[in-house]
Amino acid sequence: MIVRNACPACGSTHFKKNGHTHNGKQNHQCKTCPRQFVQCCEQYLISDDKRGLIERLLVERISLRGICRAVGVTLKWLLGFLVQCFEALPDHLHVQPVSCMRDVLIQRLEVEADELASFVQKKANKQWVWIAMDAKTRQIIAFHVGDRRHKSAEQLWAKIPQAYRQ
Ligand SMILES: [Zn+2]
């Protein structure tokens, strides 16, 4: 969560605290226009332009934490965004192996359910984002959202392109 740093109506950065809403969130009032607003969740604040930039950075195989630092998003947001991107793609990502080593790195990242739930509509307490990367190029070659058990690893494995599975 980050605090909205400008009025959503007029864009003014001059606002003051103005009591609390019925559900306890800090309310703010713009000093330029009458608009009142509360803290806003981060995914709402990421503009389409920024999302486009992040997509291009992902294609450039920049590390996830590097992207977070460069564009100022949290790792949790980025993982949620990744889920959105990957769920829009077919299971096999049409990845062409670019390195000849073809070693695969598996990363398992824990994500809080409430961060991810809105993206994948899963109800379990914990979701894990499984990522298979080409060990040399860091290109993401497969992606799976599931629990932390062995079955999820198998499901990730099934999505890894044939060339890497040999
Ligand atoms: Zn305003």
Side-chain angles (χ1 to χ4, degrees):
M1 297 280 279
I2 59 172
V3 180
R4 187 197 288 277
N5 57 11
C7 169
C10 72
S12 168
T13 53
H14 299 283
F15 54 83
K16 59 178 181 176
K17 289 182 178 177
N18 186 35
H20 292 83
T21 65
H22 65 278
N23 54 8
K25 288 185 174 171
Q26 177 67 55
N27 192 32
H28 299 89
Q29 178 151 35
C30 182
K31 287 181 173 177
T32 309
C33 76
R35 176 68 182 254
Q36 294 187 33
F37 53 92
V38 295
Q39 269 193 332
C40 191
C41 49
E42 187 186 20
Q43 50 262 46
Y44 186 77
L45 289 172
I46 310 295
S47 68
D48 285 348
D49 279 357
K50 205 170 193 181
R51 287 166 197 261
L53 171 65
I54 293 166
E55 278 184 35
R56 294 195 294 279
L57 291 173
L58 288 168
V59 170
E60 291 297 323
R61 304 170 206 150
I62 292 164
S63 77
L64 296 180
R65 286 183 191 282
I67 292 173
C68 290
R69 284 189 297 269
V71 299
V73 298
T74 61
L75 185 59
K76 278 181 182 177
W77 181 88
L78 185 59
L79 291 172
F81 183 67
L82 264 174
V83 172
Q84 280 186 312
C85 292
F86 277 88
E87 294 212 327
L89 293 171
D91 275 354
H92 293 276
L93 302 174
H94 307 298
V95 172
Q96 298 296 318
V98 278
S99 76
C100 34
M101 293 298 288
R102 293 184 190 172
D103 289 331
V104 176
L105 262 174
I106 305 290
Q107 278 195 346
R108 191 178 64 184
L109 300 154
E110 188 179 2
V111 180
E112 295 293 337
D114 59 343
E115 290 288 329
L116 207 57
S118 59
F119 296 104
V120 292
Q121 281 91 45
K122 295 272 170 63
K123 291 192 174 69
N125 287 333
K126 294 278 185 189
Q127 291 293 319
W128 294 76
V129 179
W130 294 74
I131 296 171
M133 284 190 297
D134 183 303
K136 194 176 178 190
T137 66
R138 300 266 156 177
Q139 181 177 12
I140 294 171
I141 55 173
F143 190 82
H144 178 73
V145 180
D147 59 24
R148 61 179 300 171
R149 292 173 303 173
H150 189 69
K151 188 159 173 277
S152 286
E154 286 174 356
Q155 286 164 335
L156 174 71
W157 185 248
K159 293 178 181 176
I160 293 176
Q162 193 66 41
Y164 285 92
R165 283 195 266 162
Q166 284 158 3

